[in-house]
Amino acid sequence: MSKLFDVAVVGATGAVGNQMIACLEERNFPVKTLKLLASEISIGKKLKYKGKDIPVEVLSENSFDGLQIALFSAGGGTSQKFAPIAASKGCVVVDNSSAWRMDPEVPLVVPEVNPHAIARHKGIIANPNCSTIQMVVALKPIHDVARIKRIVVSTYQAVSGTGQKAINELHDQVTAIMNFREVETKVYHRQIAFNCFPHIDVFLENDYTKEEMKMVNETRKIMEDDSIMVAATAVRVPVFYSHSEAVNIETEKKISPAEVRELLDRSPGLRVVDDPKDLIYPTALDATGGDTTLVGRIREDISIKNGIVMWIVADNIRKGAATNAVQIAEILAEKYL
Ligand code: A2P
């Protein structure tokens, strides 16, 4: 990559935005200029990129003039309004919110799974939901050889997925409890410290939550197979970073746990961490800070004929959000700009 690009991060002061800046730096993305955008409350803040302090600017309709790439992570409303404005000015948006993911005109991309979808972008590319990203990274290689018919997944999701305010809420609640103080609940409906609740995003008409239905619909779109049946239960747990998932799959063709281990270990973005006799399996702490999706506890689903059970863990802020967005931008920069 010899060309350099004028890049913006929208939502730069947030949990994901901050990590996007770090990923651009770590992966040595070909940045010519970097613009950091947030709301009025961030006026006066500066953030570091490659050792330099960059002042945060207030997002406006003129923010995208002269830019080629914008990474958005400032909530659905901001993306809904500003992504088309950026696109109309020739600045391609990689959007981490759910605003555009199911739009048929917008590619929804996990680079290990469907990088080819980037080719048909019309100015906006959507970054999938964090829980979906790590699941499809692990399931796509199996789908290719054995065809997955059905997925049943339960998630154990870190609070950082809700943003910086939720990270602070878990910290403050744990501190309050340890100091015999009253617990304050502001971000979530229920206490998150020393608790877990099966409620992520809003409840829908069918009694699933929006997060659970994102896993159903986004999995089909990314895997390009609407016949895959998915049932999800999304659970928030008192973990700061990295989501874990217990996943049962039913395949058309029989595949053994040994074959799955061998297959996943040589697939991109994945590492098998699975040796029960030595108590080896991946945990949230093992995945945190890395970009690899870790898979363990691979075993036969003994309740059905062709089934596998596994445990999938990844850093939700990195592979589940910032890294995936930067990987998309890398392909965009290399092939399509
Ligand atoms: P700010 O910090 O100025 O409010 P998180 O997901 O961690 O809560 O972060 C959300 C990010 O989105 C923050 O950087 C926040 O900026 C930004 N943001 C939220 N609303 C807006 C908005 N209306 N315009 C620009 N940035 C916004």
Side-chain angles (χ1 to χ4, degrees), residues 9-175:
V9 174
V10 181
T13 52
V16 172
N18 243 291
Q19 194 61 55
M20 284 170 162
I21 301 167
C23 283
L24 289 169
E25 176 166 345
E26 276 172 36
R27 298 175 71 92
N28 213 12
F29 190 85
V31 173
K32 183 155 74 183
T33 62
L34 182 63
K35 191 180 254 193
L36 303 181
L37 300 161
S39 75
E40 293 83 7
I41 64 165
S42 293
I43 293 175
K45 277 192 189 161
K46 286 181 180 165
L47 296 169
K48 280 228 182 309
Y49 173 73
K50 294 204 166 169
K52 289 200 192 102
D53 285 323
I54 302 185
V56 177
E57 299 174 42
V58 178
L59 174 64
S60 79
E61 302 202 355
N62 301 323
S63 299
F64 306 99
D65 294 344
L67 305 186
Q68 294 89 51
I69 300 173
L71 307 179
F72 273 60
S73 192
T78 303
S79 296
Q80 196 79 46
K81 177 171 175 199
F82 286 95
I85 295 172
S88 74
K89 299 190 176 191
C91 173
V92 183
V93 172
V94 181
D95 180 33
N96 189 52
S97 83
S98 62
W100 299 97
R101 288 180 192 153
M102 294 314 296
D103 187 318
E105 299 290 303
V106 174
L108 181 65
V109 178
V110 176
E112 291 84 348
V113 178
N114 63 337
H116 50 268
I118 295 173
R120 59 176 185 82
H121 84 83
K122 293 181 177 160
I124 304 175
I125 301 164
N127 207 39
N129 162 266
C130 43
S131 302
T132 309
I133 292 178
Q134 67 187 70
M135 188 169 82
V136 297
V137 166
L139 297 191
K140 181 63 164 57
I142 303 173
H143 189 52
D144 286 344
V145 302
R147 210 185 85 72
I148 295 172
K149 294 198 300 191
R150 178 170 182 245
I151 303 167
V152 179
V153 51
S154 296
T155 69
Y156 304 69
Q157 296 184 222
V159 296
S160 50
T162 317
Q164 192 57 49
K165 289 190 195 76
I167 296 172
N168 299 343
E169 178 141 311
L170 175 57
H171 171 271
D172 292 349
Q173 287 185 354
V174 169
T175 310

